[in-house]
Amino acid sequence: MNLLQSHYTYIILIAFTISGPFLLSFDKKVAFYKEWKHFFWAMLPTSLAYILWDVIATKTGVWKFNTEFLLGPFIGNLPLEEYLFFIVVPYACLFIYACLKAYFPKLSKPNWHNAISAIVIILCLVAQIKAPGHAYTWSTFGLLGITFVTLQAIRFTGHLSYLMAAWTVALIPMAFVNGILTGNPVLIYDDAENLGIRIGTIPFEDFFYNLLYMTWMISLYEWYKLCLLYTSPSPRDLSTSRMPSSA
């Protein structure tokens, strides 16, 4: 029996997604295990928002789950695996972000931040103009555009270079996992609610659905760490630390 075409499909993909990042979290240079508390507080509100979005989307028929590829238990109208997905995938994405910061400390380019925001905002506007009334397109690109406008308005953009680099790297495992989820299909989309553009079997919106999640979570992660730095500094930190100009 092909396990990737069985009731174990989704849970196997979840195990595959978490295995590498979890084992490598103890790498001395990254030491991501020390960031678990920060990850939790960044992931929790973001995942709760996404689970609510997921519930609404399944109730309104934007997408649905194929029980042929699920273990069976549902909580509300979402399968158990979907709840695990919103813990495991964020962990993997934040781990990628942390690795890039640890191994490429000069990757952040302040002069890129405005350009990144402008490109994302323009893309969001174009997507919404192309698909008025398409629920998945409208919600994904609408929220993404609002998010980047907000980050620019409050001048909290210092993490955008690493964010976009992490998202780019994450596209590789995402293409594998989402390719199986949409190819079997575990997850079935109503193309009347999206642009109807597929990269392989993956709806175009999925890639930016993931970018939106990463933007919310990583922004919260950096904000939370910044708050800790400036609310509980040691006497030495207090005299030497400076607020980043991009924050």
Side-chain angles (χ1 to χ4, degrees):
M1 179 177 66
N2 185 348
L3 291 178
L4 289 179
Q5 293 182 324
S6 70
H7 289 294
Y8 300 101
T9 299
Y10 202 173
I11 199 68
I12 288 173
L13 290 174
I14 289 171
F16 165 80
T17 301
I18 193 61
S19 57
F22 179 77
L23 292 175
L24 294 173
S25 293
F26 301 93
D27 170 75
K28 290 183 179 179
K29 190 172 182 67
V30 180
F32 189 62
Y33 68 94
K34 296 180 180 179
E35 301 294 317
W36 283 353
K37 180 178 72 172
H38 301 147
F39 161 72
F40 176 80
W41 288 114
M43 175 274 296
L44 183 62
T46 310
S47 287
L48 288 175
Y50 261 63
I51 287 169
L52 177 60
W53 185 354
D54 211 345
V55 168
I56 294 170
T58 52
K59 283 188 175 181
T60 56
V62 175
W63 58 68
K64 62 182 179 180
F65 295 92
N66 186 349
T67 56
E68 182 180 348
F69 300 102
L70 303 170
L71 291 176
F74 272 68
I75 303 172
N77 61 335
L78 301 180
L80 173 63
E81 293 94 330
E82 189 75 348
Y83 293 94
L84 295 175
F85 178 91
F86 284 118
I87 299 174
V88 165
V89 170
Y91 187 94
C93 289
L94 192 57
F95 172 76
I96 292 171
Y97 177 82
C99 285
L100 289 174
K101 291 192 73 174
Y103 282 95
F104 302 96
K106 297 181 180 180
L107 183 61
S108 182
K109 303 291 184 181
N111 57 322
W112 290 2
H113 299 154
N114 289 340
I116 289 170
S117 295
I119 291 169
V120 171
I121 291 166
I122 291 170
L123 176 63
C124 291
L125 289 173
V126 171
Q128 290 191 297
I129 291 170
K130 287 285 187 180
H134 293 57
Y136 189 24
T137 308
W138 191 259
S139 56
T140 299
F141 287 102
L143 289 170
L144 185 60
I146 290 169
T147 298
F148 271 79
V149 167
T150 301
L151 290 175
Q152 279 293 113
I154 65 175
R155 298 176 60 81
F156 192 61
T157 59
H159 56 297
L160 292 187
S161 296
Y162 283 108
L163 166 65
M164 296 305 294
W167 176 65
T168 302
V169 173
L171 289 177
I172 299 171
M174 177 195 168
F176 173 76
V177 172
N178 275 36
I180 294 174
L181 287 176
T182 56
N184 275 325
V186 179
L187 191 57
I188 303 169
Y189 291 84
D190 179 358
D191 283 342
E193 301 295 351
N194 58 54
L195 288 168
I197 300 172
R198 300 259 178 166
I199 311 298
T201 58
I202 305 170
F204 180 70
E205 287 83 353
D206 271 14
F207 297 96
F208 296 91
Y209 178 87
N210 186 42
L211 175 59
L212 177 62
Y213 188 104
M214 290 180 68
T215 303
W216 284 356
M217 177 181 65
I218 289 170
S219 297
L220 284 173
Y221 170 80
E222 292 292 357
W223 176 80
Y224 179 63
K225 292 185 71 175
L226 196 63
C227 286
L228 288 179
L229 177 64
Y230 287 100
T231 57
S232 304
S234 67
R236 182 177 178 179
D237 290 337
L238 192 61
S239 62
T240 60
S241 62
R242 292 183 180 180
M243 181 72 74
S245 60
S246 60

